[in-house]
Amino acid sequence: MDASQAPHVLFVEDDEVIREVTQLTLERDGLTVTTAADGMAGLESFRARTPDVVLLDVMLPGMNGVSLCRRIREESLVPVIMVSARDDAVDVVVGLEAGADDYVTKPFDGSVLLARIRAVLRRTTQDRTPQGGAPAGRRARPLRFGDVEIDVDGMRVLRGGRPVALTPTEMRLLLRFAESPGVVLSREVLLESVWDYAYGGDSRLADIHVQRLRTKIGGDRIETVRGFGYKLRAEGE
């Protein structure tokens, strides 16, 4: 693949060895990689050339990874993968609540990191490709669940007539629920269909994104079915 067409990854990591080894690994697999050693340099690199995906270490000098993720989310919906030095629940929760789409834990295997990046790139491509909806030339009727209206063709959500700002991951999650209103979806099903995981992922990904979605469309619209998963309340429930 021509370098100009290769997916562009921005990796912000203060450990020089991890930064260089990861860059070599990803470039060997055909990705273009830009690196930065601290949060402010990462923000400058992001603004200079918007990447296709951003890898952010949680613990960065100056502006930490969580703060940088929030700054990026103020400007862009580009996919963000947090990189944590430990499998710490606080790191994971705070990073995802800041708007990250996924996370990996150090030390990580290069093939695992590459698989996560490829998955998020596939999801981004799918988000840009019209799917479902009405035949060409006709718009699908909006889906309505209480005061929540989903314009599938326009990829837009209203609540009480007001626009709701969703990240691409939150939109995919809502659309997955809308495909099966009233049906309980397990965390495993959500991880596979929303995050494109062909293997078991961390259920916290699903839990935290469901929580974020609830804050935007109404806490009672998505019901927890203890021991099984979640369901979107259908009309009349």
Side-chain angles (χ1 to χ4, degrees):
M1 178 185 296
D2 187 277
S4 63
Q5 299 177 335
H8 177 210
V9 178
L10 171 61
F11 183 32
V12 189
E13 165 64 63
D14 62 322
D15 187 302
E16 183 178 1
V17 173
I18 294 176
R19 192 170 63 243
E20 293 182 355
V21 170
T22 302
Q23 180 176 12
L24 289 172
T25 299
L26 297 180
E27 288 179 340
R28 189 175 61 239
D29 282 287
L31 302 178
T32 297
V33 181
T34 299
T35 64
D38 60 66
M40 286 307 300
L43 184 59
E44 291 173 3
S45 294
F46 174 80
R47 287 172 171 169
R49 180 187 169 192
T50 303
D52 296 298
V53 60
V54 179
L55 301 179
L56 296 181
D57 185 30
V58 172
M59 303 299 293
L60 291 171
M63 182 191 305
N64 65 33
V66 173
S67 297
L68 178 53
C69 182
R70 291 195 181 103
R71 293 288 291 273
I72 289 173
R73 275 290 164 264
E74 292 172 359
E75 304 177 17
S76 172
L77 294 176
V78 65
V80 175
I81 300 175
M82 300 300 295
V83 180
S84 173
R86 58 193 186 278
D87 190 12
D88 188 302
V90 174
D91 279 355
V92 173
V93 171
V94 172
L96 294 175
E97 288 184 342
D101 299 274
D102 202 346
Y103 82 97
V104 293
T105 303
K106 293 188 289 189
F108 49 76
D109 183 278
S111 61
V112 172
L113 178 60
L114 183 64
R116 296 289 183 90
I117 294 173
R118 293 292 187 195
V120 79
L121 289 172
R122 282 196 302 273
R123 297 197 300 266
T124 303
T125 301
Q126 291 167 0
D127 290 340
R128 294 170 181 163
T129 304
Q131 51 187 306
R138 295 177 55 192
R139 290 185 63 86
R141 296 181 61 182
L143 304 176
R144 290 186 174 84
F145 303 93
D147 63 349
V148 176
E149 179 179 310
I150 307 171
D151 176 1
V152 178
D153 290 334
M155 296 297 284
R156 192 172 68 132
V157 176
L158 303 176
R159 182 185 178 197
R162 299 185 176 220
V164 178
L166 299 182
T167 67
T169 299
E170 291 164 352
M171 177 62 81
R172 284 192 302 273
L173 183 60
L174 179 58
L175 289 175
R176 180 63 186 89
F177 279 119
E179 288 176 7
S180 310
V183 176
V184 178
L185 302 177
S186 69
R187 293 167 176 83
E188 291 74 22
V189 166
L190 294 175
L191 287 170
E192 182 176 353
S193 56
V194 177
W195 281 269
D196 198 20
Y197 282 178
Y199 55 89
D202 190 330
S203 63
R204 286 175 294 189
L205 269 178
D207 293 338
I208 293 169
H209 278 86
V210 167
Q211 291 170 18
R212 285 176 57 83
L213 186 57
R214 279 171 166 161
T215 65
K216 297 182 178 184
I217 67 168
D220 61 346
R221 184 50 51 190
I222 298 177
E223 180 182 342
T224 299
V225 181
R226 193 172 300 278
F228 294 95
Y230 303 98
K231 69 174 180 176
L232 179 67
R233 292 178 57 200
E235 283 303 302
E237 284 195 81

